[in-house]
Amino acid sequence: MSMQEKNLANSPVNTGALAGFKVLDLSRVLAGPWCGQFLGDLGAEVIKVESPNGGDDTRGWGPPFLEGESAYFLGCNRNKRGITIDFSQPEGRELLASLIPRFDVLLENFKSGTLEKWGFDSAWFEKNAPLVVRCSITGYGSAGPQAGLPGYDFILQAESGLMSITGDPNGESSKYGVAIVDLATGMMAANAIQAGLLARYRTGKGQAVEVSLFDTSIALLANVGNSHLATGKDAGRYGNGHPTIVPYTTFTCSDGVIALAVGNDKQFVKLSEILQHPEWAEDERFKSNAARVNNRSAIEGLIRKELIHFSSSQLIALLRKNGIPVGQVNTVKEALATEQAQAKEMVIELEHKKIGKFKTLGTPLKMNQTPSSIRYAPPLLGEHTEQVLTQYLDLSEHEINELKNKKIVS
């Protein structure tokens, strides 16, 4: 048995829903890698391709670093084997042309038009790789006056209106605490890719999938965007509150802060009884959700005066017992240490070639018949170049060394 065969034979058992599907991931930073990571969690074989000259930008995004490896990169590149190819050189593009037809999915987030500039246009795919589902993640898509511009999560949060509805009502607009547009775009791309693979069984053809940060950021406006379209009124900021549900915000208890979400009038009646103010539920200002929205400050002020006398644990137990949605406002450290996070395996330990054992977030994708799994730690730069080029292109050791000497791969 060759070293290549031994490496593949020793790979972790994979019974995921996408086992057998192969993804060539040319993406970098967050949206694309996040997509590739989800596909990998679901069982796909994901090959991450990076430039030999430093690789994915996020390898340098820190601190924190673990033994020189960026925590940011480690968080969105598990379940991938990593290779390097320099696409700026013709021989690098020739390697890409040889690899693409051997995969089911091509994932990239180059600037719009980059693949076409290299010769990989629709006609090339139709002739050479008709079964490939090719997903392009861009900033603004291929149409409109901003098509072709690079996309950045922070800028899209600003341009889409998401930032305008986030933050204190009397303060400045604020971005989300994570790159929400990038993350959501990655998840939408993963959904679209799987739909493309499913459609391939019916049509016998691959297809082009376009997902953009702009489209995603607009879609994330959801009910707020639709409220504007229904009324013509612009949206505002409500801090931790909800534009159309009250009470639905954070409240301070004697020892901490809770998030309270009273979703209907029956729950409000129960809340009023628990706080020993049943008259609130009969008050015309508060009797219905619509009335409470119109009298938001009044009812929230009354509730705040009562909740300050409760400990958060006492109140959470009481409200949950009565079916009222409530939760502790935790720090990240507190959230990841909860029994629930441990029970759901949302904090796991991986073995990394350079770092050794390290903790990372688990997968949220739980399936009982085709379980998701985390089989590979994020790769070192070019860690699997020889292995993958041998497996997929049957290149000899001599051929690979020649490519290394020319700095096409590393």
Side-chain angles (χ1 to χ4, degrees):
M1 180 182 289
S2 69
M3 181 61 69
Q4 171 67 19
E5 291 170 328
K6 287 180 181 178
N7 285 335
L8 294 176
N10 291 331
S11 297
V13 175
N14 178 10
T15 57
L18 295 182
F21 288 100
K22 299 181 288 295
V23 179
L24 190 62
D25 181 1
L26 311 184
S27 68
R28 68 272 187 223
V29 186
L30 185 54
W34 194 249
C35 170
Q37 178 166 279
F38 271 110
L39 297 175
D41 287 358
L42 289 168
E45 166 74 346
V46 182
I47 305 301
K48 181 178 178 69
V49 186
E50 300 176 74
S51 166
N53 304 310
D56 192 318
D57 291 350
T58 61
R59 287 188 179 275
W61 287 9
F65 295 96
L66 296 176
E67 299 297 327
E69 297 296 305
S70 150
Y72 196 116
F73 179 88
L74 294 172
C76 52
N77 286 289
R78 65 172 176 243
N79 277 338
K80 304 175 186 181
R81 288 189 288 161
I83 69 174
T84 59
I85 301 177
D86 185 354
F87 296 133
S88 70
Q89 301 192 52
E91 287 184 70
R93 297 194 290 274
E94 288 173 12
L95 277 179
L96 179 59
S98 298
L99 282 169
I100 289 174
R102 291 165 169 77
F103 285 79
D104 300 288
V105 175
L106 176 68
L107 173 63
E108 55 91 6
N109 60 354
F110 296 118
K111 186 178 178 180
S112 184
T114 298
L115 281 184
E116 289 79 3
K117 181 180 70 175
W118 291 343
F120 301 102
D121 55 13
S122 295
W124 185 92
F125 278 95
E126 185 68 29
K127 179 181 178 181
N128 298 284
L131 296 179
V132 172
V133 175
R134 56 194 192 277
C135 180
S136 174
I137 298 177
T138 63
Y140 297 91
S142 58
Q146 291 173 277
L149 289 179
Y152 300 93
D153 175 277
F154 180 54
I155 305 305
L156 267 301
Q157 287 194 42
E159 291 184 334
S160 66
L162 285 172
M163 196 180 293
S164 76
I165 60 173
T166 307
D168 188 276
N170 300 312
E172 293 184 355
S173 299
S174 177
K175 73 177 185 68
Y176 281 58
V178 295
I180 190 67
V181 175
D182 272 337
L183 296 172
T185 301
M187 289 186 280
M188 290 203 181
N191 282 336
I193 286 169
Q194 290 173 86
L197 292 172
L198 188 61
R200 191 173 72 174
Y201 281 103
R202 188 175 68 253
T203 66
K205 294 182 178 180
Q207 61 182 294
V209 174
E210 179 181 286
V211 184
S212 74
L213 273 66
F214 178 81
D215 290 356
T216 298
S217 63
I218 294 296
L220 286 175
L221 292 172
N223 59 294
V224 176
N226 279 299
S227 291
H228 160 69
L229 295 174
T231 65
K233 296 179 180 178
D234 210 347
R237 290 191 298 280
Y238 295 88
N240 290 323
H242 194 287
T244 55
I245 306 174
V246 173
Y248 195 110
T249 188
T250 51
F251 293 93
T252 301
C253 296
S254 62
D255 62 347
V257 182
I258 64 165
L260 176 65
V262 176
N264 57 53
D265 295 337
K266 289 183 179 179
Q267 290 177 358
F268 183 72
V269 171
K270 287 184 178 180
L271 175 68
S272 301
E273 292 171 350
I274 290 169
L275 298 182
Q276 298 182 9
H277 284 283
E279 72 277 7
W280 291 350
E282 298 301 322
D283 191 317
E284 291 299 324
R285 296 174 299 165
F286 313 136
K287 198 170 185 179
S288 69
N289 179 69
R292 292 192 296 274
V293 169
N294 289 328
N295 294 279
R296 180 189 304 267
S297 296
I299 187 57
E300 289 181 353
L302 291 171
I303 293 171
R304 291 185 196 285
K305 289 180 181 178
E306 297 302 322
L307 295 196
I308 198 66
H309 302 300
F310 290 84
S311 70
S312 56
S313 59
Q314 173 192 12
L315 187 61
I316 287 172
L318 188 57
L319 293 176
R320 284 181 175 169
K321 182 179 179 181
N322 284 273
I324 298 174
V326 64
Q328 183 78 37
V329 176
N330 289 324
T331 65
V332 172
K333 180 178 180 180
E334 289 168 340
L336 297 183
T338 61
E339 291 183 12
Q340 185 65 23
Q342 304 304 315
K344 294 294 290 178
E345 298 182 325
M346 288 309 298
V347 177
I348 61 168
E349 197 170 66
L350 283 181
E351 183 75 33
H352 188 275
K353 187 174 182 179
K354 182 178 179 183
I355 301 168
K357 289 185 177 180
F358 75 101
K359 289 184 178 180
T360 188
L361 300 183
T363 179
L365 308 171
K366 309 291 198 290
M367 302 175 73
N368 71 339
Q369 295 297 319
T370 54
S372 304
S373 61
I374 299 178
R375 304 172 304 284
Y376 305 111
L380 297 173
L381 183 61
E383 180 178 349
H384 305 100
T385 297
E386 295 180 29
Q387 183 186 110
V388 170
L389 294 182
T390 301
Q391 176 188 350
Y392 282 93
L393 300 182
D394 199 27
L395 296 188
S396 67
E397 183 178 351
H398 173 73
E399 289 172 312
I400 293 173
N401 285 335
E402 282 291 303
L403 291 170
K404 287 184 176 180
N405 290 337
K406 295 178 182 178
K407 298 186 178 179
I408 307 297
V409 305
S410 63

